[in-house]
Amino acid sequence: MLDVVIRAFLESVTQILDEMHEGLYERALAFRTSHTREIDTLEELEAFFRPQNEAKPEIHGGFALVYCKEDEQLEERLKQYKLTHRCYPLNGEERPGPCVFTGEMCARRAILAKAY
């Protein structure tokens, strides 16, 4: 009897784990998508990362797709807003736009997020 139960478990465990993995992946993807915004101006960037409650700032779990010029001053600009440059999306559009900090043209958007 125990052999039958073990065999049944072994036959179904891969499918169960695959379904769990797929569910977790879909939830994470939906969360990332709903918390990512394309931002075109410095005002929008400031508003996106501004805490709702200044007295007790909440953790902001969002990502901003922003044109920003890579230069020596970028890290200092980002520090002012307590942001970090995370990456350039691998599947991001190669569509140029003006840097939110300098107005200079950039080839593509970068992903920025709150630094903790």
Side-chain angles (χ1 to χ4, degrees), residues 64 66-70 74-75 78-79 82-89 108-115:
V66 178
Y67 290 109
C68 58
K69 183 83 172 157
E70 279 192 273
L74 179 60
E75 288 302 316
L78 294 176
K79 281 182 188 176
K82 298 180 182 169
L83 300 174
T84 58
H85 181 276
R86 299 302 170 94
C87 67
Y88 289 101
R108 60 186 174 173
R109 291 181 188 268
I111 297 177
L112 304 182
K114 201 72 169 159

Side-chain angles (χ1 to χ4, degrees), residues 13 15-16 18 21 23 33 41 47 51-52 62-63 66 68 72 75 79 87 90 93 97-98 109:
V13 71
Q15 180 182 353
I16 292 168
D18 286 344
H21 176 266
T33 301
T41 67
Q52 301 292 323
F63 298 102
V66 178
C68 58
E72 307 82 50
E75 288 302 316
K79 281 182 188 176
C87 67
L90 293 176
E93 275 187 62
R109 291 181 188 268

Side-chain angles (χ1 to χ4, degrees), residues 30-101:
F31 181 87
R32 185 191 73 187
T33 301
S34 69
H35 288 81
T36 301
R37 302 280 184 275
E38 279 192 5
I39 293 178
D40 295 314
T41 67
L42 189 55
E43 293 77 23
E44 286 178 71
L45 184 69
E46 290 170 343
F48 183 66
F49 287 111
R50 184 177 301 122
Q52 301 292 323
N53 182 351
E54 292 287 341
K56 189 176 177 189
E58 70 281 356
I59 294 175
H60 190 288
F63 298 102
L65 288 163
V66 178
Y67 290 109
C68 58
K69 183 83 172 157
E70 279 192 273
D71 59 19
E72 307 82 50
Q73 291 85 28
L74 179 60
E75 288 302 316
E76 288 305 315
R77 289 183 191 113
L78 294 176
K79 281 182 188 176
Q80 286 179 301
Y81 296 96
K82 298 180 182 169
L83 300 174
T84 58
H85 181 276
R86 299 302 170 94
C87 67
Y88 289 101
L90 293 176
N91 58 352
E93 275 187 62
E94 291 279 338
R95 184 181 47 162
C99 173
V100 297
F101 299 109

